[in-house]
Amino acid sequence: GPNPILAVARNVINEAVRMRISIVFIIILLLLLAVIPTVLQEDQPLRYRVQQWLQYGTGFSYGILALLTAFLSVGTVVFEQRDRIIWQTATKPVPAWQYLLGKWVGVMALNFVLLGVTAGGVYIFTEYLRHQPANGEIAYRVNERGQSTRGPTGAPPSTDRRLLERQVLVARVGTEALPGYPTDGNIEYRIDAIISRMDNPEEADRDEIRASIYDNWSEQLDRIVEQRVSEAQELSPDFVDTFQRRTLLRAEALDEYEQQYRSLDRNEQEQFVFDLSRARSVWQGEREAIMSRVDGEIDDLIDQGAATEEDRDRLRNEIILRLMDSGQLPEIPELTLRFQIEAGTNDPSKIYRFYMFINGRPLRGVDEFNRPRPIEVALGAAQTLEFPIDWIPPNGMTVLTVRSDMTNERTATFPPDGLEVLYPIGGYEANFFRVMFVMWVKLGFIAAVGIAVSTFLSFPVACLMVLGILFMAESAGFLWNALEYYSAKDQQGNVNPFAVLVRLVAIPISWTFRTYAELKPTAHLVDGRLLSWSSVTTALAILGAWTIGVLGIGLAIFRRRELAMYSGN
């Protein structure tokens, strides 16, 4: 078409075909997709092979496309200035904003094609792996006894197949345990527990109990803060008692309380509360949709005169059995308790034993003497246990009771992210699409940076700058977490000037690119976690604003350039 933006974009595509560096990157991308499957070991569980393929296939592909985007977006502007090709464009009625936007559209069109091909290859081979025999199978969904494990009426699937379908090829949402101190999320559970022990409770009792819990907790916290202020004043006469210092002391007290709440000594027991009302409502919605479908088929039969109202119960059972046999009836979802326990230096040779209960039901069942079976835990490693959604009460408030065994040597602690319940909320296909879309959006930001810096820098310098920004953006999450342990003071309390300088540089970088780093599309896909549309929309809004802002800066610089003088040199 005659549109200048599309004409410039089409020229970028032609340049990409002619540039050897683009061809090299494309060949590397295709070779990687072909070589990665050969390194997957067939003796590994199928779920691990699928996870490795998803991680390597998407992670390496994105890395190669990011490098290609960086070099192509820089080269398409710099080389036209260097080779004086831009003279022909600048002398035509093509505004500067249309020229730069056309460059960006061209780079993104190429990324769209290459990412689409990559996504197709990754998805097709994932489906191929999915239909391979898992551990404990002689064929797809056929166990070692030759029994089919398809559908709810089939034999139980192997552990490998079950974990693949329920923890990898799925979109799950995680819910962390509620804090130990009173919050709006767990206060009602505390009130219900107290009212359940009362005779003839009234509605007014709830308000009194709620106020009493908050007042008692606030008084305890105030006493701790007062004690610490007094201690600080005794140690340092220059200590100034301000509102900001008291707020900091309250936050420190809360952190210490939460640390103690998540720690268990030998033979100690603690309860952790999860709000799983959303998981319950999702499953309830699926059940209602199934029954609505069944009742709809029955209503059609009655309207056609093929059945009567008295046949409804019989037909309902027949239709449900037919759906189960055909595999169209979804299985009852299993929830996954993910936990990690630390103790001392996390000696890998030590095995700790715990007893865990969900609403009073032992997670590992009972032995022949009706005693709960212990759970053996390797320190410092994340582990999972499954339990059915039927264990969740109607209100969704689920209690995990953990008791530490007498044989454990040290105090065991759940880290802040070491206690979580995951539940399925959709299939991985839609999640896969959202992951690829987020990758494309991230490539759009990289392309904008490359085009902007190429308006005033040479090719080598511009490439280094783009790669530096790409590295900072990708590592911002790690940097943000590392800053929590990187203090500007040494053990004696003396200020380290170099550490202060490092924090002054690192904090703005990690804060600026934190949204970019927190997306982690590949990690969501590999772990079977939902990348929600709300997260995608937020990322699109933020990265889109960054992209527009960066292109705006490049446009402002580009308009002030003396292109003829630059090209003449």
Side-chain angles (χ1 to χ4, degrees):
N3 187 285
I5 296 177
L6 297 181
V8 174
R10 184 171 59 250
N11 188 54
V12 173
I13 302 295
N14 294 333
E15 286 179 328
V17 174
R18 293 193 302 266
M19 291 173 60
R20 296 179 180 178
I21 188 171
S22 301
I23 301 299
V24 169
F25 275 111
I26 293 173
I27 292 175
I28 293 175
L29 176 62
L30 297 177
L31 287 177
L32 267 178
L33 290 177
V35 170
I36 289 175
T38 63
V39 302
L40 303 180
Q41 300 178 5
E42 294 186 1
D43 57 345
Q44 281 187 324
L46 183 60
R47 64 184 185 277
Y48 293 153
R49 280 183 279 161
V50 173
Q51 284 183 312
Q52 288 178 353
W53 165 248
L54 290 174
Q55 182 174 5
Y56 297 151
T58 57
F60 286 162
S61 298
Y62 173 75
I64 292 173
L65 289 178
L67 294 177
L68 172 60
T69 300
F71 290 119
L72 179 60
S73 59
V74 170
T76 188
V77 177
V78 170
F79 292 159
E80 285 196 359
Q81 297 182 47
R82 183 197 63 185
D83 299 335
R84 308 177 185 180
I85 299 175
I86 199 170
W87 286 4
Q88 303 174 13
T89 306
T91 55
K92 295 180 180 179
V94 179
W97 71 269
Q98 290 186 347
Y99 174 76
L100 294 183
L101 182 59
K103 291 293 186 182
W104 184 84
V105 171
V107 175
M108 292 306 295
L110 180 64
N111 281 330
F112 181 83
V113 173
L114 294 179
L115 195 59
V117 173
T118 301
V122 172
Y123 179 82
I124 291 173
F125 193 75
T126 301
E127 287 298 305
Y128 168 78
L129 287 176
R130 183 182 197 171
H131 288 79
Q132 296 301 301
N135 283 5
E137 294 181 344
I138 59 175
Y140 173 65
R141 288 194 175 274
V142 177
N143 62 21
E144 294 175 335
R145 297 180 179 179
Q147 299 171 327
S148 174
T149 61
R150 294 174 181 267
T153 58
S158 66
T159 301
D160 191 19
R161 174 66 60 185
R162 179 169 51 82
L163 295 179
L164 172 65
E165 299 293 343
R166 293 180 179 178
Q167 296 187 15
V168 181
L169 298 180
V170 70
R172 301 178 297 170
V173 173
T175 300
E176 296 183 354
L178 297 175
Y181 51 83
T183 63
D184 293 339
N186 62 18
I187 188 68
E188 296 303 323
Y189 164 76
R190 293 168 178 260
I191 296 173
D192 291 339
I194 295 174
I195 286 182
S196 64
R197 298 190 294 268
M198 297 174 60
D199 296 330
N200 302 321
E202 299 179 358
E203 187 62 30
D205 294 332
R206 299 188 67 88
D207 297 333
E208 293 181 6
I209 295 171
R210 183 183 296 105
S212 175
I213 292 175
Y214 276 124
D215 290 343
N216 292 336
W217 173 252
S218 181
E219 290 175 4
Q220 294 178 18
L221 200 57
D222 289 339
R223 284 198 298 268
I224 295 174
V225 172
E226 288 292 344
Q227 180 181 357
R228 296 191 176 184
V229 169
S230 300
E231 294 174 353
Q233 290 175 342
E234 292 177 0
L235 293 175
S236 175
D238 298 332
F239 179 84
V240 180
D241 185 6
T242 63
F243 175 78
Q244 290 79 4
R245 287 183 179 271
R246 286 180 173 266
T247 301
L248 181 60
L249 290 175
R250 289 175 70 91
E252 291 177 353
L254 286 176
D255 290 340
E256 292 177 6
Y257 176 84
E258 192 66 17
Q259 178 74 12
Q260 295 175 1
Y261 171 66
R262 290 174 173 267
S263 301
L264 288 85
D265 291 329
R266 289 183 296 178
N267 205 33
E268 186 179 3
Q269 178 175 297
E270 190 59 80
Q271 290 184 333
F272 303 93
V273 182
F274 296 85
D275 183 2
L276 300 177
S277 54
R278 184 185 180 190
R280 181 83 183 184
S281 62
V282 168
W283 170 236
Q284 188 66 28
E286 292 183 0
R287 293 181 62 179
E288 292 176 356
I290 294 170
M291 296 310 300
S292 176
R293 173 184 173 184
V294 172
D295 290 337
E297 291 190 25
I298 296 174
D299 292 338
D300 292 340
L301 292 175
I302 293 175
D303 293 340
Q304 296 170 6
T308 62
E309 190 65 33
E310 289 75 14
D311 300 326
R312 181 173 292 273
D313 292 339
R314 176 181 60 81
L315 291 173
R316 181 181 289 113
N317 293 332
E318 291 178 356
I319 294 174
I320 290 177
L321 287 175
R322 172 168 56 82
L323 293 176
M324 293 174 63
D325 291 337
S326 61
Q328 300 181 45
L329 194 67
E331 299 179 3
I332 297 177
E334 295 279 333
L335 281 73
T336 303
L337 172 65
R338 177 188 173 276
F339 61 95
Q340 179 178 334
I341 295 178
E342 299 177 349
T345 58
N346 291 335
D347 186 353
S349 63
K350 300 293 184 181
I351 299 296
Y352 277 45
R353 291 157 59 95
F354 297 87
Y355 299 89
M356 296 186 180
F357 307 83
I358 294 290
N359 293 330
R361 303 183 181 184
L363 273 171
R364 275 287 169 84
V366 295
D367 57 17
E368 62 272 16
F369 302 105
N370 202 31
R371 296 177 303 188
R373 290 192 178 95
I375 299 170
E376 296 184 343
V377 178
L379 298 177
Q383 302 182 57
T384 60
L385 291 171
E386 291 184 320
F387 61 95
I389 198 170
D390 294 339
W391 289 13
I392 302 177
N395 63 359
M397 303 304 289
T398 303
V399 182
L400 169 68
T401 304
V402 183
R403 186 172 76 244
S404 179
D405 192 75
M406 280 291 297
T407 60
N408 296 336
E409 297 180 3
R410 296 174 177 266
T411 299
T413 303
F414 292 99
D417 59 346
L419 202 54
E420 183 182 26
V421 173
L422 298 123
Y423 54 91
I425 202 171
Y428 96 101
E429 291 83 0
N431 211 37
F432 183 85
F433 171 79
R434 288 189 290 267
V435 165
M436 292 301 161
F437 178 74
V438 168
M439 287 185 176
W440 188 67
V441 172
K442 294 175 74 172
L443 291 174
F445 171 69
I446 299 172
V449 173
I451 292 173
V453 299
S454 63
T455 57
F456 64 97
L457 295 176
S458 62
F459 181 77
V461 179
C463 288
L464 286 176
M465 189 169 183
V466 176
L467 294 178
I469 293 176
L470 175 61
F471 175 77
M472 288 188 291
E474 292 292 341
S475 60
F478 169 79
L479 189 62
W480 182 268
N481 294 330
L483 285 171
E484 296 182 5
Y485 305 96
Y486 188 80
S487 176
K489 296 181 179 179
D490 56 22
Q491 296 180 352
Q492 289 74 29
N494 300 320
V495 177
N496 185 347
F498 178 76
V500 172
L501 179 61
V502 170
R503 291 182 62 87
L504 288 176
V505 175
I507 289 177
I509 292 175
S510 59
W511 182 86
T512 301
F513 296 108
R514 190 178 179 184
T515 301
Y516 182 100
E518 286 180 347
L519 286 173
K520 298 180 180 178
T522 300
H524 280 79
L525 194 62
V526 173
D527 295 337
R529 291 179 179 265
L530 175 71
L531 184 63
S532 63
W533 279 115
S534 60
S535 300
V536 173
T537 303
T538 302
L540 180 61
I542 296 177
L543 293 182
W546 290 358
T547 300
I548 295 174
V550 170
L551 288 176
I553 295 174
L555 176 62
I557 297 174
F558 187 71
R559 283 177 170 174
R560 295 179 176 272
R561 294 299 309 276
E562 293 291 344
L563 298 177
M565 182 182 300
Y566 176 84
S567 299
N569 293 333

